[in-house]
């Protein structure tokens, strides 16, 4: 029976990405390892972006389900002070 691959949490993916960045910034890697790490980093970045987009949609849905009359899209950079 094939084992299911455990999906990393956002925090685990972010931690792995931070470790890759540190390795790459060290500048001591052979070109092949640096390229492999860069490719892993791109994959981890995409995974993190997907997880954030999913969380954003869930937050938007929760706001809509809470009985608010108007739709309030999730925007982390919104400093308008509007109550949720």
């Amino acid at each position: 029976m094939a084992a299911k691959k455990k999906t990393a949490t956002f925090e685990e993916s972010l931690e792995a990405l931070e470790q890759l960045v540190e390795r790459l910034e060290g500048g001591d890697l052979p070109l092949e390892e640096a390229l492999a790490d860069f490719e892993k980093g791109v994959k981890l970045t995409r995974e993190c972006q997907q997880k954030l987009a999913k969380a954003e949609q869930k937050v938007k849905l929760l706001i809509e389900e809470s009985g608010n009359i108007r739709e309030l899209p999730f925007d982390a950079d919104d400093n308008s002070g509007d109550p949720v």
Side-chain angles (χ1 to χ4, degrees), residues 26-78:
D28 298 331
L29 295 174
L31 179 60
E32 292 80 15
E33 279 186 53
L35 183 57
D37 281 356
F38 181 79
E39 289 174 3
K40 288 178 195 174
V42 169
K43 182 181 177 204
L44 285 168
T45 299
R46 288 182 182 146
E47 288 174 12
C48 287
Q49 288 172 335
Q50 289 173 349
K51 289 175 185 175
L52 285 173
K54 197 176 213 180
E56 180 179 318
Q57 186 62 32
K58 189 172 185 178
V59 167
K60 183 177 175 183
L61 255 171
L62 291 173
I63 291 170
E64 291 171 3
E65 292 175 354
S66 71
N68 290 333
I69 295 173
R70 60 188 175 125
E71 182 177 319
L72 298 172
F74 178 79
D75 187 0
D77 295 325
D78 184 13

Side-chain angles (χ1 to χ4, degrees), residues 3-27:
K4 289 185 178 181
K5 183 179 177 185
K6 179 187 172 250
T7 303
T9 66
F10 174 79
E11 291 78 11
E12 291 169 339
S13 295
L14 189 59
E15 176 67 27
L17 183 57
E18 289 172 349
Q19 290 173 2
L20 284 173
V21 169
E22 286 177 18
R23 281 176 41 103
L24 288 168
E25 285 179 342

